[in-house]
Amino acid sequence: DLTTVVGSDDDIEEEGKEINEVIQQQQQEQRYTTKRPIFFSGESHAGHYIPSMMNYILHQNDKPTNNIQINLSGAAIGNGYVNPYYQYGAAEFAYGRGFIDLAQKQDLDLQELECRRLLDEGNLDSWECFDLQTDVLKNAFGKTNAYKPSDYDMRRVELRKGPRDFPPGHKDVERYLGGWEGKLYSESMTVDYADVLRAIHAEESIDEMVIFEECSDAPYNALEHQDGLGVQDDVVDILEHESKPKMLFYNGMEDLICNHVGNEMALLNLEWMHKVDWSLAERYAWNVEEDPYTPTTTTTGAGVSRPVKGFMKEYANLMFLKILDSGHMVPLDLPFISLEMMRTFLYSGSFRTFKQDLNSTIPNNDNCDVDVDVDVDVD
């Protein structure tokens, strides 16, 4: 079953092998046909897992001895952690929000260069890299303030020394799926979590004594030694595969930990055949009519819905969508808009609502390695 426990491997590639075996088992049992398109979806560290898993599956598909073909059609990755080399930093994002000034940004930029030097030397687990974001969060409201902004949503405020309260409601989910008890958990929930796990065919976790946590330390600890290892090569292999899986990367623009600036830098620096084409691709504002019966935060302040929900840049099979009014978990903040995004993506709809009439130039600065000598005439 897809919810079967596969363990906490200390090698991301091993996860690809396991998920490939699970899907093949499902197809052998004829639960769905091999022609049915399969899409991956996830957020945050799934930016590591999904490309690695997909690339492994594609390589298995290409083997002449492979009897079971998986129709891998694409993925939607939200606020994904893809390439730490460009995503450890937060100075550009924090400056744009006004949390730091230019002089402070300059110093953080220098610290980021040191982080990158360590990464180039093979040091994939260093405080020099981790502190790039931590220092911003600790000091954004002042070092002695009892509060700090949430690294998952800069619109939210957290107690500096209090328990993490993001995402809202995660303690209820932990009680529902893990049977957790204590003062942080609602006593009104009487359902037996073991019954829930059996209902979703995840009872093996009971035998393995694996208790659900919304953000478990075990997988992170197992992979911490390679935290700075990116999966950009996997993304390139996927984009250039002959089957051309569609890759949608989307970002809630209020997130700091996997902020849209770092994610865009990671995508700009993918060494694939359409690197320049994607860098100079036309950009569009995307809009969708909101469900009048669903509460939303995407208003102008006068009760009028925003005329734009996000911004799309795409070329060939690579898409990057920045979404307004949302943080690290876009579907949590904007469920209806997220549903429309997924519908548009899965059914090959268009995100091109309003074109931006601006010229484009190849980015070429200290934070971006896209360095190509071309002449471009954008009408």
Side-chain angles (χ1 to χ4, degrees):
D1 197 291
L2 287 174
T3 52
T4 297
V5 175
V6 295
S8 295
D9 297 293
D10 60 2
D11 188 333
I12 295 177
E13 291 184 6
E14 188 65 24
E15 299 286 355
K17 178 180 178 181
E18 291 178 341
I19 197 67
N20 183 72
E21 292 174 352
V22 169
I23 297 174
Q24 287 191 341
Q25 179 184 349
Q26 295 280 306
Q27 294 187 161
Q28 284 179 320
E29 295 174 0
Q30 297 183 342
R31 298 193 185 185
Y32 48 81
T33 68
T34 58
K35 293 182 180 181
R36 177 176 295 179
I38 293 178
F39 290 85
F40 278 77
S41 180
E43 56 87 34
S44 195
H45 217 89
H48 262 52
Y49 295 134
I50 288 178
S52 179
M53 292 175 177
M54 291 180 67
N55 198 23
Y56 183 90
I57 291 172
L58 291 172
H59 281 303
Q60 295 305 304
N61 281 349
D62 291 340
K63 291 182 177 179
T65 57
N66 183 41
N67 296 322
I68 303 177
Q69 291 287 310
I70 295 175
N71 185 12
L72 192 56
S73 300
I77 300 175
N79 293 66
Y81 185 53
V82 178
N83 187 352
Y85 194 87
Y86 298 103
Q87 292 185 258
Y88 272 133
E92 190 83 24
F93 174 82
Y95 174 71
R97 294 298 306 271
F99 286 108
I100 61 174
D101 64 19
L102 277 173
Q104 294 166 326
K105 176 185 176 300
Q106 178 67 22
D107 188 72
L108 286 167
D109 287 341
L110 294 174
Q111 293 180 44
E112 186 171 356
L113 291 177
E114 174 62 14
C115 164
R116 291 182 177 181
R117 184 188 68 79
L118 292 171
L119 291 173
D120 287 335
E121 292 179 353
N123 187 341
L124 305 178
D125 181 16
S126 70
W127 284 108
E128 286 83 354
C129 292
F130 297 150
D131 284 345
L132 289 171
Q133 293 189 4
T134 302
D135 287 349
V136 170
L137 289 167
K138 284 182 177 179
N139 291 281
F141 290 171
K143 188 174 182 179
T144 60
N145 199 320
Y147 295 90
K148 67 179 185 67
S150 168
D151 44 353
Y152 297 105
D153 190 330
M154 297 298 277
R155 300 169 300 177
R156 293 178 175 271
V157 175
E158 298 177 348
L159 280 169
R160 184 182 295 271
K161 297 183 179 180
R164 179 172 60 87
D165 58 5
F166 184 89
H170 74 274
K171 292 298 180 184
D172 290 336
V173 178
E174 287 181 339
R175 184 173 177 86
Y176 186 66
L177 294 176
W180 291 83
E181 297 179 351
K183 63 180 182 180
L184 297 176
Y185 298 93
S186 171
E187 296 181 358
S188 62
M189 190 180 297
T190 58
V191 64
D192 185 346
Y193 82 99
D195 291 338
V196 177
L197 296 182
R198 280 189 285 269
I200 63 175
H201 309 293
E203 61 268 26
E204 187 177 336
S205 62
I206 301 174
D207 299 332
E208 298 286 339
M209 293 185 292
V210 176
I211 302 177
F212 175 83
E213 288 183 88
E214 185 272 333
C215 195
S216 174
D217 289 335
Y220 174 79
N221 292 337
L223 296 168
E224 183 180 6
H225 66 284
Q226 55 184 23
D227 188 81
L229 183 65
V231 293
Q232 60 275 6
D233 292 341
D234 289 310
V235 176
V236 169
D237 286 349
I238 294 166
L239 291 172
E240 295 187 344
H241 192 267
E242 62 180 2
S243 62
K244 293 293 183 287
K246 297 190 301 181
M247 299 297 291
L248 168 63
F249 294 88
Y250 64 92
N251 254 85
M253 293 177 64
E254 301 295 336
D255 180 25
L256 177 135
I257 196 167
C258 292
N259 61 78
H260 68 89
V261 177
N263 279 44
E264 184 169 355
M265 288 296 182
L267 297 179
L268 279 169
N269 285 287
L270 290 173
E271 296 295 338
W272 67 309
M273 65 176 68
H274 295 303
K275 179 176 182 178
V276 175
D277 297 317
W278 192 84
S279 299
L280 296 174
E282 293 177 338
R283 198 165 184 264
Y284 289 81
W286 173 61
N287 191 36
V288 60
E289 294 299 322
E290 294 182 34
D291 182 354
Y293 303 104
T294 301
T296 179
T297 59
T298 59
T299 60
T300 61
V304 179
S305 175
R306 276 193 188 274
V308 167
K309 305 306 184 295
F311 305 95
M312 169 59 76
K313 180 174 185 172
E314 63 179 306
Y315 190 89
N317 51 336
L318 177 59
M319 313 165 77
F320 184 43
L321 179 63
K322 298 187 180 187
I323 303 178
L324 293 161
D325 302 305
S326 55
H328 191 68
M329 297 183 178
V330 177
L332 175 71
D333 293 328
L334 303 171
F336 179 79
I337 291 172
S338 298
L339 177 60
E340 290 303 303
M341 173 189 71
M342 292 302 294
R343 283 174 173 165
T344 303
F345 172 63
L346 293 173
Y347 296 105
S348 300
S350 175
F351 289 94
R352 301 180 177 188
T353 310
F354 306 106
K355 180 182 174 182
Q356 294 182 337
D357 190 17
L358 293 169
N359 292 332
S360 296
T361 301
I362 292 288
N364 184 17
N365 55 49
D366 292 338
N367 291 323
C368 187
D369 294 336
V370 180
D371 188 8
V372 183
D373 185 16
V374 294
D375 294 322
V376 180
D377 182 16
V378 180
D379 293 330

